[in-house]
Amino acid sequence: MAGLVTTFGAGAMTNSIGEIRDADFLFVIGSNTSEAHPIIAMEMKRAVHRGATLVVADPRAIWMTNIADRHLRLNPGTDVALLNAMAHVIIEEGLTDEDFIASNTDHFESVKAAVAAYPPERGEEITGIPAEQIRAVARQYASTRKAGIYYTLGITEHSHGTDNVYALSNLVLMTGHIGHASMGLNPLRGQNNVQGANDAGASPVFFPGYQRVDAAGIVDKYEASWGTELSRTPGLNLNEMMKVAGSTLKAFFIMGEDILLSEPNVSHLEEGLNDVEFVVLQDLFLNETARFADVIFPAACFAEKEGVFTNSERRVQRVRKAVEPPGQARADWEILVALANACGADWHYESPAQIYDEMVKDAPNFAGISHARIDERHEGLQWPCPSAEHEGTRFLHKGGILRGRGQFQAVEYRPSLELACEDYPLVMSTGRTLYHYNAATQTRRDPGTDEKQPEAFIEMHRFDAKKRGLADGDMAEIRTRRGRVECRVIVSRQVQKGCIWMPLHFAEARANLLTNDAGDAVTGTAEFKVCVAEVSRVQSAAPVDRSVDRSVDRFPGSYYSEGGAH
Amino acid sequence: MGKTLELTLNGQTLSFGEGDTILDVAGRAGEEIMTLCHDPRLKPVGACRTCLVEIDGWRRLAPSCATKAEAGMRITTHNERIDRHQKALLSLYLSDSVSEEATHDTADASQLHSWAARVGAATDWPHLDSQRFERSDDRNPYVQFRADRCILCARCTRYCAEVESVSAITLAGRGSKTTIATTDARSLLDTSCELCGGCIDVCPTGAMTEKKPLAQRLKPARMLDKVRTTCNYCGVGCQMDLNVDRAAHQGRGQVVKISSPETGVAPNDGNLCVKGRFAYQFIDHQDRLQVPLVRGEDGELHEASWEEALQAAARGLQGVAKRHGADSLGFISSSRCTGEENYLVQKLSRAVFKTNNVHQCSAT
C-alpha cells in the first residue's frame, strides 16, 4: 500500500465494490478474483454480462479468463514491462488526458522519458505477449471512460511490487481515469480486516489513520493523548522482523497469526526462533508457531465478540457477538487490556465501542465513524468520514487527488530475483484457492471444503510433467534453493510451460518452505509469486489407484485438470 | 433518463425511469406484489405468474416483473379478477408440492406457503405426484435438492447461470418430469459447481436446502435468532446472518446456519461464497483452545489460570525489554482481528513497551 500512498495519498480501493457492475472496461491483473474474492468476481461477471470488456493479465489461466475478452499471458514477474509498454502506446498515440495531467499531477515528463524505452515490441520480448495485443489493450483502456483496474497480491508480492503499483498508478494518472464512479485503481484486500489493521496503526511507520511516527506534530499529539513518552524511530516491518528473529529480536507477541505457516523461507525463521527468548501467542487453535510459545492465550473468534472490520472498499462494518466463546477463551481485546495492565499500564475499556471512539478521536479520516452510527445505518461507513454528519466516501479523489497532486513515478523493468536456471528450470508461483483460506486452520476443519480439496498439490504443464515422467496424480518432490516438500501433481492446462503453481494452504506441504523471503525495497513484502524450482517423481510413493473412475477428476470440480470441466 | 415518465397505479400517479418494470415502480411506491420467481439480481422471466397485474386496455393479465412500465399505463394490482387468479394458481402449486407441515423441518419458512396462506389457496386439491428426478446419492456435503417441493420457478438455475455464472444446475426433462439437474446426474462436487449455496438462498419453496441442519436435526431457521455480522474470511466484508440456537451448548449458543442478507445490502447484494456460507464449523471445533497455556520448567505447555498466564507473559516480555532494550521486542498484530484489537496491539507496543516494532501479518 506504500505505493498508493506515494502516488495518490491513500492506500485503499479508490472505488466501491458495487460500482464494478457499471464499469465498461475491467483490467484484472495479478488477481485470481473468482477464487480469492468470489463476490467481487460476481460483480465483474455482472459487468461482462452487461457488455463490459474484461482483460485478464496473469501468467496462469484462471476461471476469469473463460469470460475475458483477452487473456494477456505474461511471463511471471514481467508486469512492469507490460504496463510500461501500455503507457508507451498511450503516449505515442496521443490518448493521454493532458488537461488532467496538467492540473492534477506532477512528474509526467519523467515517466514519458522512461517509457519511451518500452515500445510494445520490447514489451513482447520480455512479457511474451504479442505487441499487437499490448497495443490493443492500451488503446481500449485509455479510450474507455469507465475503466477500472483491479489487482491483488500478484502485483505486490514481488521484489518489485511497489514498482508494479507505480506502473499501474502511472496508467491511471495519464488517462485521468480516477475521481468518478466505476474507474480507478483497486487493490482487492486478501484478509477480512487487512484494511482495518492498517487503518488502526498496526504498522511500524504509522499511527492510526496513516499518521507517521516520525512526524513531530503527530508524535506530540499521541504523547499527549496517551500520557506517555513515545519512540520517534520507525520500527521494523514484518519481513525485517522475521529476518532478525533471534538476533536483534528476542521476544515476540503474536496475535492471530501462524508465522511458521505464513511467512516465506520458514526454515531460516525456525532457526531464528530457537534463539528468541520469549514468545506470547493468542489464537483460536494451537498452531505451528506454538512449538516456540511460552504463553498461549485462548482467544474468541469473530462470532464471539464485538468490534469492526474494514473491508477492501474502506467500509467499516460491525462484527457482532452471536455466541459465547468456548471454555475460558476471551476476546482478543479483553486479553490485550488484561496484558497491558499486568505490564503496569492503567487501561480501562468497557467495550470495543469505547476503544473505537478513542481511536477515531486522533485520526481525522475516521472521526465521524462510531459503532452507534454503523448500527443505525445497516450498511457500514466508508472512510474518509471526517465528521458525524458526513455520509462516508463511495469513491476517492472526487474533484482532485487526495494528496493534492498525483505523483507519477518512473519505473524500470527489473527481473525477478530468481530466474530459471539449469538446476532449477521451473518458475514457481503461489496463490489461494476458492475452498481454503490462508493457513486453512478454519476451512480444513470443515468436512465440505476439505472434501472438495483435500490435499496439497502443484499444477504443472503436461510437457514438463512428461519430461519428468510424471503423470496426473503422482506424488512429487518440489525443491527450491530453500527447501523441499512433497505433494501431488495435477497435470494442468492452467499453467504455462516452464511454470508451476502451488496453493499456500496446506501444512503438510508448506509453500513457504520453498518461497523467497527477499522483499520489496519499500514495503518489505516478500517475493511469494516468483521463485525457481525443480520437480521430480517420488519413487517410493504408492502408485495412484487407477481403478478409480478417471472420468471424474481427482480434484473434483477442478476446472483445469486435463480431464476438463463437466 | 430524459423527460419524466408517469403512469397510474391503483389510482396513484407515479413517475418512473426508462427501463423500469411495473414491479420496480410498484416496489418504490410501497405497493406489495406477490412474487416467487423474481429476484432483483436476475433477468425477469415471468415464469411463476404470481405477479400478474391488470392493465387498462390489455385483454390479459400481465406479469409485472417482466413488463416494462410505459407512460400513461393505468395499472391495478389488486381486484377480484387478480385475487381469483392468484388463489387458483397457488392452489395448483400446492397440489404439486408438499404440505405446509412437511416444510417445518427446513430452514426458512417457505415463501410459497406463506403466500398461499395469505390468499387462502386450497390445500385439498388432488396431489399431482410429478415424477421429478432428484439426486439422492449426491455426496456433496452442503446442498440438497428435494424434488417434491420444487415448483420449477427456476430461480436457482438462473442464479447459477447469471450470478455465479457456472451453470452447474439446469432445468432438464419435459412435462411433469422436468427437474433441476446436473450433467449426467453427477454429484455437485463433480461439476462446475463452486458450492456458493446461492441456489438455497433464492429458492422460495425449500426445495433447495442446506444438508447440515437437516442431517444433524438442528432446529429449523424460524426458531433461531439471526445476528447480522461481517464475514471473517476475505477482504470483501460480506454481510451475513449467523443463525443461532441460543439454548445449545448449555446456553452458550451455537451457530447452526449462515444465511444471506436481503439483496441490495452492500457490499455483497445478498451473495455469499462457499467459505462464507458453509465453512463455519471451526467455531465449535474440538481443537479450539479453551484454557491459557504456560510453558513449564519441563519444557512442556501446561494449563494455567488467566492470572498465572498474564503474569508469566508480562514477566517474560518485560524481562526481555530490560535485558535487551525496547527494540528487541516485536509485536505482530492480525488482519483477522478487529480494528479495535489492532489499535490496542499498536498501543501496547508503542505506549507500554516503547517500540514501533509493530506490524500486522499481511501488510503489503
Side-chain angles (χ1 to χ4, degrees), chain B residues 53-349:
Chain B
V53 294
E54 197 172 77
I55 304 168
D56 280 10
W58 291 39
R59 197 168 57 81
R60 303 173 65 178
L61 298 176
S64 58
C65 71
T67 308
K68 293 264 188 287
E70 285 168 28
M73 269 183 172
R74 301 177 64 82
I75 301 157
T76 310
T77 64
H78 294 284
N79 62 22
E80 200 271 332
R81 181 186 176 203
I82 295 167
D83 292 350
R84 193 157 30 97
H85 155 77
Q86 287 182 332
K87 197 167 161 178
L89 181 67
L90 287 180
S91 303
L92 279 168
Y93 278 141
L94 288 186
S95 71
D96 192 24
S97 189
V98 296
S99 70
E100 203 213 333
E101 293 76 52
T103 66
H104 277 195
D105 59 343
T106 8
D108 292 289
S110 148
Q111 285 173 40
L112 170 63
H113 287 94
S114 54
W115 280 119
R118 281 173 64 178
V119 303
T123 53
D124 55 352
W125 289 18
H127 196 258
L128 281 181
D129 266 338
S130 295
Q131 301 298 301
R132 281 186 209 117
F133 172 82
E134 64 181 21
R135 304 177 311 281
S136 50
D137 58 346
D138 186 336
R139 64 183 206 290
N140 94 75
Y142 297 137
V143 186
Q144 183 158 339
F145 171 56
R146 305 203 286 181
D148 57 355
R149 283 145 214 243
C150 180
I151 59 163
L152 300 174
C153 72
R155 247 163 102 172
C156 56
T157 56
R158 288 185 292 136
Y159 184 90
C160 197
E162 294 175 31
V163 179
E164 182 68 345
S165 305
V166 297
S167 296
I169 50 172
T170 54
L171 288 171
R174 317 194 70 166
S176 69
K177 289 187 176 167
T178 310
T179 192
I180 310 294
T182 58
T183 311
D184 297 343
R186 285 195 173 110
S187 161
L188 285 176
L189 287 180
D190 304 327
T191 67
S192 55
C193 174
E194 296 187 343
L195 300 172
C196 74
C199 49
I200 296 172
D201 243 349
V202 298
C203 179
T205 67
M208 284 290 175
T209 186
E210 203 170 316
K211 267 188 184 173
K212 275 196 270 194
L214 278 183
Q216 297 171 18
R217 299 187 178 283
L218 299 171
K219 282 186 191 158
R222 66 200 144 73
M223 299 173 69
L224 304 171
D225 283 348
K226 285 189 178 184
V227 179
R228 177 67 49 88
T229 195
T230 305
C231 180
N232 97 130
Y233 288 110
C234 82
V236 175
C238 289
Q239 295 301 287
M240 52 165 57
D241 289 330
L242 303 179
N243 291 228
V244 182
D245 179 347
R246 293 272 176 220
H249 291 338
Q250 293 86 44
R252 189 158 71 73
Q254 183 186 8
V255 177
V256 297
K257 176 187 158 84
I258 288 177
S259 51
S260 294
E262 46 294 0
T263 57
V265 173
N268 47 317
D269 197 13
N271 302 313
L272 289 175
C273 78
V274 57
K275 291 190 285 278
R277 191 187 303 277
F278 294 120
Y280 56 85
Q281 244 141 279
F282 75 90
I283 299 173
D284 289 322
H285 201 276
Q286 58 191 33
D287 295 349
R288 282 288 298 276
L289 287 166
Q290 306 205 11
V291 216
L293 302 171
V294 174
R295 198 170 294 280
E297 298 287 322
D298 57 358
E300 299 295 319
L301 288 166
H302 298 281
E303 295 192 352
S305 72
W306 270 101
E307 197 44 41
E308 286 163 356
L310 287 164
Q311 290 308 328
R315 262 198 318 275
L317 294 173
Q318 285 174 321
V320 170
K322 208 166 182 182
R323 286 193 297 280
H324 305 286
D327 287 335
S328 66
L329 270 66
F331 290 79
I332 300 173
S333 192
S334 177
S335 57
R336 312 298 318 282
C337 293
T338 65
E340 294 83 351
E341 288 157 352
N342 278 281
Y343 175 79
L344 291 187
V345 171
Q346 60 93 35
K347 187 173 174 184
L348 178 69
S349 162

Side-chain angles (χ1 to χ4, degrees), chain A residues 388-417:
Chain A
E389 293 72 45
H390 197 279
E391 284 299 297
T393 306
R394 213 155 56 84
F395 52 86
L396 297 177
H397 314 296
K398 189 178 182 176
I401 302 293
L402 272 183
R403 74 182 299 289
R405 294 175 75 80
Q407 301 295 304
F408 277 101
Q409 292 278 342
V411 287
E412 294 290 339
Y413 164 69
R414 288 182 289 127
S416 301
L417 296 174

Side-chain angles (χ1 to χ4, degrees), chain B residues 2-13:
Chain B
K3 64 178 183 338
T4 329
L5 301 164
E6 284 184 345
L7 54 67
T8 316
L9 189 122
N10 298 338
Q12 216 183 330
T13 304

